[in-house]
Amino acid sequence: MIKKLFSYLKSAGIDVYLPAKKSGKCTTAYAVVKEEKSEMSLTGKSVFTYFSVTVIAPLENYNSLEEICSKVKCALKNTSFKFYESNDAESGDDFGGYKRILTYRTLKSASCTKL
């Protein structure tokens, strides 16, 4: 599923990376995708998988953060990835930019096979 998420964002023209693949100071806005966790639904018949799309924009251009967040939301609008929540994070010296984490989740039927 992470490949599918990566592909959707890449085809929407978003500069997207896997964790620890982008280094150095942020000069243009980009996104980092990561699978966070999976958990069983309350009924036990399906599994929720959560993915984070961390959007990072340069300190000199806060507007690019809003632009790329909108692009991410549009790219994933009619897919199996459903928007779950959004959190702003503090900017840090390690990447030199603004950061927002968009969380998406997918729902998959849990199938058990009889032995």
Side-chain angles (χ1 to χ4, degrees), residues 5 8-9 12-15 28-32 52-58 61-77 83 85-89 98-104:
L5 176 60
Y8 282 135
L9 297 177
I14 298 168
D15 195 15
T28 60
Y30 63 94
V32 176
S52 66
V53 179
T54 304
V55 177
I56 301 169
N61 191 357
Y62 181 79
N63 287 338
S64 64
L65 181 71
E66 297 300 327
E67 290 171 14
I68 197 167
C69 284
S70 294
K71 281 177 110 176
V72 168
K73 288 178 181 180
C74 285
L76 300 176
K77 188 174 184 175
F83 181 75
E85 69 180 355
S86 172
N87 295 307
D88 283 345
Y98 295 104
K99 183 165 125 176
R100 181 173 296 156
I101 302 169
L102 306 173
T103 304
Y104 285 84

Side-chain angles (χ1 to χ4, degrees), residues 3-19:
K3 286 183 180 181
K4 194 180 273 190
L5 176 60
F6 190 93
S7 176
Y8 282 135
L9 297 177
K10 196 72 164 167
S11 64
I14 298 168
D15 195 15
V16 61
Y17 298 91
L18 294 173

Side-chain angles (χ1 to χ4, degrees), residues 17 22 24 27-28 34 36 38 40 53 56 66 69 71-72 78 81 83 89 91 97 106 108 110:
Y17 298 91
K22 173 93 169 133
T27 56
T28 60
K34 179 180 173 188
E36 295 293 334
S38 293
M40 194 65 82
V53 179
I56 301 169
E66 297 300 327
C69 284
K71 281 177 110 176
V72 168
N78 295 317
F81 297 93
F83 181 75
S91 59
T106 59
K108 184 177 178 184

Side-chain angles (χ1 to χ4, degrees), residues 29-52:
Y30 63 94
V32 176
V33 294
K34 179 180 173 188
E35 184 175 331
E36 295 293 334
K37 65 180 179 175
S38 293
E39 63 186 20
M40 194 65 82
S41 69
L42 293 176
T43 62
K45 295 182 179 181
S46 52
V47 176
F48 287 108
T49 304
Y50 294 85
F51 298 88
S52 66

